[in-house]
Amino acid sequence: MAAPGALAQRVNGWARRVPAWPLYAFGGLYMAWLFWQALNGVSVEPIDWLERAYGITALKFLVATLAVTPLRKFAGVNLLKFRRALGLLVFFFVLAHFLVWAILDVQALGAVWADIVKRPYITIGMGAFLLLIPLALTSNNASVRRLGGAGWRKLHWLTYPVAVLGALHYIWLARGFAIEPLVYMAILLGLLATRLPARRVAAA
Amino acid sequence: MARRWTNDLTWADVTPKSLYLNRRQIMAGAGALGAASVAGPALAQPLEPNTFEEITTYNNFYEFGYDKSDPSRYADAMQVEPWSIKVDGLVDNPGDYTVAQLLEGLTPEERIYRHRCVEGWSMVIPWTGVELADVLGKLGVQEGAKFVAFETTVQPENMPGVQAGVLDFPYVEGLRLDEAMHPLAILATGLYREPMPKQNGAPIRLVTPWKYGFKSIKSLVRISLVEEQPPATWNQTNPHEYGFYSNVNPSVDHPRWSQATERRIGGGLFSSRQDTLMFNGYDEVAPLYEGMDLVENF
């Protein structure tokens, strides 16, 4: 682990004083604000707009969640206390993304199921969502105690396939060549790559 | 104008808004009685053009980027003056035409058409244009011509999507000659009785309302009469997903999404989907495809 520099120490001192709960409030308000915009003419196609906005926000929180460990390892910045909130916000935004898609966009249960089974990019997105459910359910101290540190970490390793599936889902739905989905994939893969050497060191 | 086709959607259809409100009330009543079919298909889909704002801010024009708002944001930079359309191939009168020369002697008329995008959304658009058949008649189609090929302008310095290489430009499209000669196919030069906005394909574009929107190629700089089936950009980009014909067909899904239903733009966050109609409701084109397997030739 890198020795924290002056800036990192300042951030760490600040992080110790600030509680994590405002993140939940921010996430909830941001979700509501996006919904309010969709209701009030942000786009002539607000359903598609909201679906994308929730999906992309989930990817952003996913990037933030996965950045916590490498920040600590390489920069000595310790934001570990915020990681649970960031991870749960990924789940809630994916849930909102799913609900907008199923209820406002597709509008029929049969068609929702048909899409999940038939369309690979939706199957992948659904897979990522399902993998997030056990992670969200175990994001509390009681679960950590029950599973034990090692067991809990093993389960939460699922975050990595979620990241790859989520980015793939985004890439796959584009028509033509779109840069942004590829950027998300690159960032997420980069964040996953920072974990590889640590494993080798740990195994040695 | 040859008047081979009469528009069944006119301003008179849409103006008395109170009438539509009444129809909706009647339908609601009929639905409550479990007898919605009494209203009949014509009343089942009250057609009202989308607003000018909707039509000009939600566009696919990949030369300007892949976001729906990119064309309205960036199309202003496109140079449309002077404009020249190259006419070549199997025609009696090849050459470089201005829009005025191409339309000389023809009277643009209003066509209120449904517009169905391959992505599953739709609009109703009041175009102004001339029948493509009349333009081709003027150009003199020679024996042996079987297809019409079209090409969009490429202005890399004015088009961020071209710089980014979103697709392989210039954007090209094509129609079989009999499709091109169908009275529904128009070259449009305006909408809402205004000159064509740049993001909608100024100064002149194709409109084929029974096909998915991407066939209606924008900002034309070349029209060629050819013998062989010409390349079409989306078909070449992904032949598995976009066919040469690309007729609106609710029973042939796009590999990544269903084409059975569509969402009319403008219905807001709680807008419901409606059934997509074969040939986008323009059954008069069906004879063009008689005997063709439209699943095979999607």
Side-chain angles (χ1 to χ4, degrees):
Chain A
M1 198 174 297
L7 178 65
Q9 276 177 357
R10 203 145 11 115
V11 173
N12 290 344
W14 169 83
R16 267 192 296 276
R17 286 192 304 275
V18 176
W21 66 261
L23 264 176
Y24 295 104
F26 168 76
L29 286 172
Y30 185 61
M31 190 182 282
W33 184 64
L34 290 172
F35 193 86
W36 185 88
Q37 286 187 88
L39 265 182
N40 289 280
V42 68
S43 161
V44 298
E45 186 18 328
I47 299 174
D48 185 64
W49 183 89
L50 190 61
E51 204 172 299
R52 277 171 186 273
Y54 283 166
I56 288 169
T57 307
L59 280 173
K60 285 177 180 161
F61 279 119
L62 188 56
V63 166
T65 309
L66 286 170
V68 170
T69 295
L71 269 178
R72 195 159 68 116
K73 197 156 76 178
F74 299 111
V77 174
N78 187 349
L79 301 174
L80 207 56
K81 68 187 279 196
F82 302 109
R83 191 170 65 176
R84 176 182 292 170
L86 292 170
L88 277 168
L89 286 172
V90 174
F91 172 76
F92 284 121
F93 273 90
V94 170
L95 176 66
H97 172 71
F98 167 77
L99 290 176
V100 170
W101 171 72
I103 296 170
L104 298 180
D105 187 351
V106 181
Q107 300 177 355
L109 204 62
V112 166
W113 181 244
D115 271 357
I116 291 170
V117 181
K118 233 168 115 179
R119 325 257 172 221
Y121 84 94
I122 292 176
T123 315
I124 283 174
M126 200 61 206
F129 177 46
L130 291 178
L131 291 181
L132 278 170
I133 293 172
L135 304 189
L137 290 176
T138 56
S139 285
N140 50 71
N141 293 338
S143 293
V144 179
R145 274 193 301 275
R146 205 175 57 242
L147 292 166
W152 187 91
R153 270 195 298 279
K154 205 168 176 181
L155 177 65
H156 281 248
W157 179 88
L158 285 177
T159 316
Y160 307 155
V162 163
V164 175
L165 292 175
L168 199 59
H169 170 72
Y170 189 24
I171 288 174
W172 207 330
L173 63 84
R175 274 177 80 204
F177 174 73
I179 280 280
E180 210 176 309
L182 297 174
V183 170
Y184 275 98
M185 179 60 103
I187 292 172
L188 286 165
L189 286 179
L191 289 171
L192 296 192
T194 61
R195 281 140 167 101
L196 290 175
R199 280 233 182 133
R200 272 188 217 124
V201 172
Chain B
M1 188 106 302
R3 302 276 167 196
R4 281 176 291 260
W5 181 81
T6 356
N7 198 350
D8 58 342
L9 308 172
T10 69
W11 288 103
D13 257 337
V14 303
T15 24
K17 204 162 190 169
S18 57
L19 184 64
Y20 280 107
L21 294 177
N22 283 336
R23 281 182 184 175
R24 285 189 184 129
Q25 281 158 11
I26 291 164
M27 283 191 52
L33 291 168
S37 59
V38 175
L43 296 186
Q45 291 189 316
L47 276 159
E48 202 172 338
N50 282 86
T51 65
F52 187 79
E53 194 215 339
E54 285 159 359
I55 296 169
T56 55
T57 58
Y58 195 76
N59 307 96
N60 279 320
F61 198 160
Y62 279 68
E63 281 81 345
F64 297 105
Y66 47 79
D67 194 276
K68 296 286 183 296
S69 60
D70 286 339
S72 59
R73 205 172 295 161
Y74 303 119
D76 208 33
M78 180 166 69
Q79 292 301 311
V80 296
E81 202 113 7
W83 193 267
S84 176
I85 300 146
K86 185 187 181 71
V87 174
D88 60 0
L90 300 164
V91 282
D92 296 332
N93 307 308
D96 295 315
Y97 289 77
T98 63
V99 175
Q101 287 166 342
L102 203 63
L103 302 192
E104 206 183 328
L106 305 175
T107 315
E109 61 174 276
E110 189 138 61
R111 293 282 176 98
I112 302 176
Y113 279 162
R114 285 178 287 271
H115 178 90
R116 169 64 156 81
C117 178
V118 73
E119 295 164 348
W121 54 267
S122 64
M123 294 193 190
V124 173
I125 305 173
W127 302 108
T128 313
V130 299
E131 286 182 18
L132 176 58
D134 288 335
V135 174
L136 294 178
K138 275 179 52 179
L139 298 175
V141 179
Q142 290 179 351
E143 194 84 10
K146 293 198 173 64
F147 293 89
V148 188
F150 303 93
E151 190 178 309
T152 298
T153 185
V154 190
Q155 303 177 10
E157 66 283 8
N158 301 329
M159 295 176 150
V162 172
Q163 288 163 22
V166 175
L167 286 172
D168 192 12
F169 297 111
Y171 192 92
V172 290
E173 260 304 341
L175 295 173
R176 222 170 52 192
L177 187 58
D178 59 338
E179 297 180 306
M181 296 301 277
H182 195 279
L184 274 176
I186 60 168
L187 290 181
T189 53
L191 60 85
Y192 263 107
R193 298 172 183 176
E194 301 272 343
M196 188 68 75
K198 289 182 176 176
Q199 60 268 42
N200 297 86
I204 187 165
R205 64 170 288 173
L206 177 70
V207 179
T208 47
W210 71 96
K211 293 174 177 288
Y212 292 120
F214 67 85
K215 290 294 289 184
S216 294
I217 180 170
K218 299 186 176 87
S219 303
L220 293 173
V221 290
R222 187 171 179 185
I223 300 174
S224 315
L225 276 294
V226 295
E227 211 181 324
E228 304 287 328
Q229 179 176 306
T233 295
W234 279 108
N235 177 230
Q236 290 209 314
T237 305
N238 198 338
H240 175 63
E241 297 191 343
Y242 309 100
F244 175 77
Y245 288 94
S246 287
N247 293 318
V248 175
N249 188 342
S251 56
V252 176
D253 283 352
H254 184 282
R256 287 182 283 153
W257 54 83
S258 163
Q259 295 291 27
T261 61
E262 67 199 55
R263 193 159 50 232
R264 260 297 292 285
I265 296 297
L269 192 52
F270 304 106
S271 137
S272 41
R273 286 185 168 270
Q274 59 189 52
D275 288 341
T276 289
L277 305 172
M278 186 65 202
F279 299 124
N280 203 20
Y282 297 99
D283 293 328
E284 52 268 60
V285 299
L288 293 172
Y289 309 102
E290 226 162 280
M292 266 176 78
D293 182 346
L294 293 180
V295 175
E296 195 74 24
N297 300 286
F298 60 97

